[in-house]
Amino acid sequence: MMKLDFGGLESASQFHGVDSELVDGLSSAPSFEIPNTTNFDGFQKEAIQMVKPAKGTTTLAFIFKEGVMVAADSRASMGGYISSQSVKKIIEINPYMLGTMAGGAADCQFWHRNLGIKCRLHELANKRRISVTGASKLLANILYSYRGMGLSVGTMIAGWDETGPGLYYVDSEGGRLKGNRFSVGSGSPYAYGVLDSGYRYDMSVEEAAELARRAIYHATFRDGASGGVASVYHVGPNGWKKLSGDDVGELYYKYNPVTPSTVEQEMAEAAGP
Amino acid sequence: MTKQRANWSPYDNNGGSCVAIAGADYCVIAADTRMSTGYNILSREYSKITKLADKCLMASSGFQADVKALQKHLAARHLIYQHQHNKQMSCPAMGQLLSNTLYYKRFFPYYSFNVLGGLDSEGKGCVYTYDAVGSYERVGYSSQGSGSTLIMPFLDNQLKSPSPLLLPAQDAVTPLSETEAVDLVKTVFASATERDIYTGDKLEIVVVNAEGIRREYMDLRKD
């Protein structure tokens, strides 16, 4: 392996004579390992891309006693530029099913709209609503067929069908998972922290909504790629209903109210006539 | 041996900026008229705004050859719609048509950054903003193109409208009057011209309201 030579910096030859790979690393001069490739610059760019946070967004959904709670932020970023603060990331597929958007905005919008059309055709052909299992499978199969072509979709399909509340995670790699709690996007680690610690199956709708709202808020606080408006939807036996849409900037002051300190008040009085 | 890369790209960027602002009963769509390639100016009088339907216009910046192809495609689809439905396409309908048209070329995109402006079926101003592959949303104002990173923050400052996602819902259209909105657009382009090399020469402003469509021009710096 190629190594840069820092011989002039320092030497550590205490282990003179002992021969082992471990010691080799210690005894030779400090150096950076260089990848054995002809295109060093290109390799670096690719390596950075690999660890770059993908899907700048925060979305979450969870099943609880009263149905499914779905929440998302509304920021869209193009590199470091915020292209929009008002993106609808919760897509209304039909009156009893919701999809969340993470990844490529156009990919999510187009395929969710396409899924809504397929669900409606299913209703007309079979005289009954499609199940959440069926809808998520339709989407997953489409995305699997485009695997490797560069689509970027990380979505959750949430709905209420004959078997009760349903929640599936579907992505553009072709994955499809059934579950009770999911969060997708660059802000998901922060959202999971709040969501997992506050979750109870038997919450009321208001408690669940507040938990979802807080989880999104905390993710937008710490993740630069998430922000805008935190939307919260509830899916019940009669379909979905939008519960709230709050600007996260204002949520900050609601959760961290500003109380005027006594020092400020004294200065104001002193400045008076 | 390093991978062989193509020396020829099917795309080019002709620069320029576009803006659209929606009002209570009007819509202002504006774009500069400079068309460039690299450091050269190809034309000082090239219009980026096209009329798609009676009360619906589109301003596009990016690769003008792709823009021209897109405009022709939409015009043809609109003609078919008129034959089949015996009426003009509404702005929201055209909005979705544009989104689908862009997405059908998802794997070889139209290099076109569009802004759609017009009146909706109730006569209120509506603006739709797009990315190159068709994701779109209805907004109160938007800018696209090389000067958009300079223009958008200024529009946010002057026009910041409540997000349509807020609940209880608040109206997204700007409270400005038509003349105030046109003045704002002129100011915005004068500033963008100062700091963006691809924006300048002349500004074309189109105003759509209940009476019809009105066109106005303003000179910008030619350097």
Side-chain angles (χ1 to χ4, degrees):
Chain A
M1 202 167 332
M2 229 177 89
K3 293 185 185 194
L4 287 177
D5 178 27
F6 287 84
L9 287 175
E10 58 173 284
S11 65
S13 47
Q14 302 99 298
F15 301 94
H16 189 76
V18 181
D19 193 16
S20 81
E21 242 185 64
L22 188 68
V23 172
D24 273 351
L26 287 172
S27 61
S28 54
S31 55
F32 293 116
E33 275 179 40
I34 308 282
N36 190 11
T37 164
T38 41
N39 184 10
F40 181 86
D41 194 35
F43 180 91
Q44 292 309 310
K45 290 201 170 97
E46 274 183 61
I48 291 168
Q49 277 298 114
M50 254 176 63
V51 291
K52 217 168 149 174
K55 305 191 174 123
T57 192
T58 312
T59 59
L60 59 82
F62 58 88
I63 294 179
F64 68 117
K65 187 179 54 142
E66 305 278 357
V68 198
M69 204 52 90
V70 184
D73 74 317
S74 68
R75 177 173 287 186
S77 35
M78 272 169 46
Y81 180 69
I82 296 172
S83 47
S84 175
Q85 286 273 63
S86 56
V87 175
K88 275 195 77 167
K89 294 192 188 179
I90 296 177
I91 298 158
E92 297 148 6
I93 299 170
N94 60 42
Y96 57 96
M97 224 185 311
L98 295 173
T100 57
M101 176 201 289
D107 293 334
C108 290
Q109 270 186 12
F110 183 86
W111 291 111
H112 276 121
R113 194 187 309 140
N114 184 275
L115 179 64
I117 293 169
K118 288 204 159 65
C119 290
R120 179 68 183 137
L121 288 171
H122 176 99
E123 272 179 33
L124 292 168
N126 300 92
K127 267 195 137 172
R128 54 188 257 170
R129 285 177 173 172
I130 192 171
S131 62
V132 182
T133 313
S136 60
K137 192 83 177 181
L138 278 177
L139 183 62
N141 286 150
I142 292 168
L143 294 177
Y144 183 80
S145 66
Y146 285 99
R147 199 171 125 87
M149 297 184 71
L151 291 188
S152 172
V153 173
T155 184
M156 295 177 285
I157 305 292
W160 189 295
D161 58 27
E162 281 161 8
T163 60
L167 179 60
Y168 282 83
Y169 164 77
V170 177
D171 69 21
S172 47
E173 315 303 301
R176 175 172 166 267
L177 297 170
K178 182 169 158 69
N180 290 328
R181 271 209 305 280
F182 288 113
S183 176
V184 182
S186 57
S188 63
Y190 308 108
Y192 270 129
V194 174
L195 184 57
D196 289 340
S197 60
Y199 176 83
R200 279 174 302 113
Y201 180 75
D202 48 3
M203 283 188 285
S204 68
V205 172
E206 293 79 33
E207 286 174 317
E210 183 57 21
L211 179 65
R213 196 175 306 120
R214 274 202 188 247
I216 296 289
Y217 160 75
H218 282 286
T220 60
F221 188 72
R222 285 291 178 181
D223 176 32
S226 302
V229 168
S231 304
V232 180
Y233 281 68
H234 172 242
V235 189
N238 299 320
W240 58 259
K241 181 166 184 280
K242 181 163 181 175
L243 295 181
S244 68
D246 301 291
D247 185 292
V248 296
E250 277 158 41
L251 275 184
Y252 174 82
Y253 289 108
K254 186 165 153 235
Y255 294 140
N256 306 283
V258 179
T259 41
S261 64
T262 41
V263 177
E264 284 175 38
Q265 285 179 343
E266 280 172 25
M267 286 172 75
E269 283 161 21
Chain B
M1 159 129 156
T2 43
K3 193 171 171 186
Q4 280 269 294
R5 293 235 127 88
N7 298 319
W8 176 82
S9 165
Y11 296 114
D12 188 16
N13 189 352
N14 300 119
S17 317
C18 315
V19 163
I21 301 176
D25 59 351
Y26 67 88
C27 187
V28 178
I29 301 110
D32 69 322
T33 60
R34 172 177 287 180
M35 182 163 147
S36 21
T37 172
Y39 284 131
N40 299 316
I41 294 179
L42 294 170
S43 170
R44 297 194 192 274
E45 320 241 350
Y46 190 82
S47 172
K48 297 187 190 48
I49 304 175
T50 179
K51 185 171 122 169
L52 294 177
D54 219 20
K55 304 271 173 171
C56 182
L57 289 102
M58 178 172 83
S60 321
S61 81
F63 180 38
Q64 291 300 325
D66 269 356
V67 167
K68 182 73 57 168
L70 182 61
Q71 288 169 354
K72 285 179 171 182
H73 182 108
L74 293 170
R77 287 296 300 269
H78 184 229
L79 192 58
I80 294 169
Y81 182 95
Q82 284 178 349
H83 286 141
Q84 291 177 339
H85 299 269
N86 199 23
K87 63 175 185 177
Q88 294 271 324
M89 250 175 125
S90 67
C91 207
M94 187 59 84
Q96 183 148 314
L97 176 64
L98 176 53
S99 169
N100 284 329
T101 307
L102 291 169
Y103 199 83
Y104 278 126
K105 279 187 45 94
R106 167 70 174 76
F107 300 113
F108 184 12
Y110 286 110
Y111 192 124
S112 164
F113 296 97
N114 311 294
V115 140
L116 203 72
L119 302 179
D120 65 13
S121 3
E122 292 159 25
K124 280 166 65 168
C126 78
V127 169
Y128 289 94
T129 188
Y130 296 79
D131 71 0
V133 277
S135 110
Y136 78 118
E137 55 163 327
R138 181 166 177 176
V139 286
Y141 59 90
S142 179
S143 80
Q144 293 280 357
S146 57
S148 69
T149 45
L150 298 166
I151 296 173
M152 257 328 237
F154 185 71
L155 291 180
D156 284 334
N157 178 270
Q158 296 293 309
L159 296 174
K160 179 74 189 246
S161 50
S163 169
L165 298 173
L166 290 172
L167 201 68
Q170 292 165 48
D171 219 5
V173 294
T174 173
L176 290 185
S177 74
E178 198 182 293
T179 26
E180 284 174 325
V182 171
D183 278 342
L184 179 63
V185 161
K186 290 177 177 171
T187 311
V188 142
F189 268 92
S191 304
T193 306
E194 295 288 322
R195 293 289 179 174
D196 177 30
I197 60 173
Y198 298 112
T199 303
D201 291 332
K202 207 159 72 166
L203 170 64
E204 182 184 5
I205 306 172
V206 181
V207 183
V208 192
N209 53 26
E211 281 122 52
I213 297 183
R214 188 182 95 235
R215 211 167 282 253
E216 218 183 294
Y217 293 95
M218 185 185 93
D219 267 359
L220 295 171
R221 283 180 69 124
K222 300 186 189 323
D223 61 358

